[in-house]
Amino acid sequence: MVDFLLTKIIATLGPASGDVATVVRLIEEGARVFRINFSHGHEDDFARSLSLVREASRQTGIEAAVLGDLSGPKIRVGQLPTEGIEVSPGDRVAFTGEGRDAKATTRDEPGTDATVTATLPTTHAQLVNDVEVGHRLLVDDGTERMLVVERHLHPPDGGPARLICQVIVGGVITTGKGVNLPDSTLSIPSMTPRDEDCARWAVANQLDFVALSFVRQAEDVRQLKSFLRTLAGNGVNLPPIIAKIEKPQALADLEGILSVTDAVMVARGDLGVEMDLAEVPALQKRIIKQAHSFGRPVIVATQMLQSMIEDFSPTRAEVSDVANAIFDGADAVMLSGETAVGNHPVQAVHMMARIARTTEKEMAGDPVYKARAPMRLRESRYRTAALAHGVSSMVSDLQAKLVVNWA
């Protein structure tokens, strides 16, 4: 069994961790929170994952928490041919907001605009209204990159409204790939109907945390809290909300978000697509620092040990990345594909725990890393952080060796 770690390890559940024996091993190696990604699967799949964690907790005698991660308003490419559609630099491609089930058309098909290689549907109905000429349109986490050069709200051919994009970086676009619009302000709700269904399931099954994706402003968190309160009713504790910071708009309202959320996640995947990739390390430090000023816990996520999806050992750069996140003040670090679909889920958690243990030992002996009192507790009215600060002061004054938390 792993030694006690201050830094909590979050493991994402998936096919690679889809049996009780593996989840038991993950707990034994140090995982203390398990993430159910609501972007994939249905309620039966979620229930199966939850039962795995609860049974593994029973077998190990260690209570592991469960985090339900709402998908949020992710825009995706609609129905394409099985082999996808290849686009090359210089091509012109049209995008519409016709929906997930609409069919793509290519230049070879009758009625297709001869000036474009293909017309691709997306799941955002207001796409053409929200995006302007000169904005960037990125597909598959920025693998394919385009620039909007024309916008046709009422095409003369009577077809659907569409954006014409010039391909800057080409590739093969396939069904369901994500679409990012870093320059655009989107008229899309923070919670989709699917999110509402998943939130209902999370409350009904007493999940420990709920994460909200693509938060843009404090009001998004307030809406989720209100919705959860309606579901839970009076006298029921709501699951704490984790606001995922992955949009430029969220950074613009970071203090507002921190004042209403229970925790934040530095979701570096989409953040690195929506923002200049070179800015992400500095943004990570900024988010952690501001979150701590409000007494909010911080999770750092995405690609932390990415190479371990395939390889038994991480790269040196990945080990440094995890350690530096902890040095920055991360309260938890998260594994995504490494434990969901990777070849070595148990080894990934083992390695994450080794890095955390070594880093914490280094920090313990350096006064630079001594915890400081949150500066904005009065504004945030966050009782847990205030209580923890009080306990910390008493421990320091009394030089106490043990603290008992009686709940």
Side-chain angles (χ1 to χ4, degrees), residues 42 115 117 132 245 286 310 360 391 401:
H42 303 283
T115 65
T117 301
E132 299 180 7
I245 308 300
R286 173 186 158 195
E310 299 292 339
E360 289 177 9
V391 171
K401 294 182 178 179

Side-chain angles (χ1 to χ4, degrees), residues 259 294 296 376-384 386:
S259 70
F294 280 83
R296 299 294 193 255
R376 308 288 290 274
L377 280 183
R378 184 173 297 177
E379 295 174 43
S380 69
R381 299 184 180 89
Y382 191 53
R383 296 177 183 176
T384 303

Side-chain angles (χ1 to χ4, degrees), residues 13-32:
L13 294 169
S17 46
D19 60 88
V20 172
T22 300
V23 178
V24 164
R25 291 288 309 283
L26 296 179
I27 292 174
E28 290 174 342
E29 292 295 344
R32 290 297 179 266

Side-chain angles (χ1 to χ4, degrees), residues 39-251:
S39 295
H40 305 292
H42 303 283
E43 289 190 3
D44 289 347
D45 304 304
F46 308 152
R48 194 175 305 112
S49 294
L50 180 59
S51 67
L52 290 177
V53 177
R54 288 182 171 164
E55 175 59 22
S57 292
R58 188 193 67 78
Q59 290 187 22
T60 58
I62 297 173
E63 195 67 31
V66 180
L67 184 165
D69 194 344
L70 301 176
S71 309
K74 181 74 170 178
I75 303 172
R76 297 190 181 277
V77 175
Q79 191 66 41
L80 304 188
T82 304
E83 67 279 8
I85 291 178
E86 185 172 1
V87 297
S88 302
D91 286 351
R92 290 196 166 202
V93 179
F95 286 86
T96 72
E98 292 182 285
R100 186 181 301 274
D101 297 325
K103 305 296 184 189
T105 58
T106 63
R107 184 177 288 166
D108 324 25
E109 299 176 67
T112 302
D113 188 340
T115 65
V116 301
T117 301
T119 299
L120 311 182
T122 71
T123 56
H124 180 35
Q126 297 301 315
L127 177 78
V128 183
N129 291 322
D130 290 349
V131 182
E132 299 180 7
V133 172
H135 286 189
R136 290 169 294 164
L137 187 151
L138 314 178
V139 181
D140 192 13
D141 292 336
T143 302
E144 292 83 39
R145 309 177 75 88
M146 305 173 200
L147 187 69
V148 178
V149 292
E150 296 178 27
R151 180 170 72 156
H152 300 291
L153 295 171
H154 306 287
D157 61 7
R162 53 187 176 263
L163 301 172
I164 308 298
C165 301
Q166 186 91 23
V167 178
I168 308 301
V169 179
V172 178
I173 301 175
T174 55
T175 299
K177 289 300 181 183
V179 176
N180 289 85
L181 299 157
D183 305 318
S184 310
T185 300
L186 302 177
S187 58
I188 190 169
S190 61
M191 287 184 64
T192 66
R194 176 180 171 84
D195 290 330
E196 293 180 355
D197 290 341
C198 291
R200 288 189 187 92
W201 186 89
V203 170
N205 288 275
Q206 300 179 322
L207 265 61
D208 301 283
F209 304 95
V210 173
L212 180 61
S213 299
F214 302 107
V215 172
R216 289 164 290 179
Q217 55 191 349
E219 183 58 28
D220 295 341
V221 180
R222 291 193 191 97
Q223 288 177 6
L224 176 56
K225 278 192 173 181
S226 177
F227 185 75
L228 293 177
R229 197 173 292 114
T230 301
L231 295 175
N234 294 327
V236 178
N237 290 329
L238 298 178
I241 293 174
I242 300 168
K244 295 171 68 175
I245 308 300
E246 50 197 334
K247 300 282 289 182
Q249 295 89 341
L251 291 165

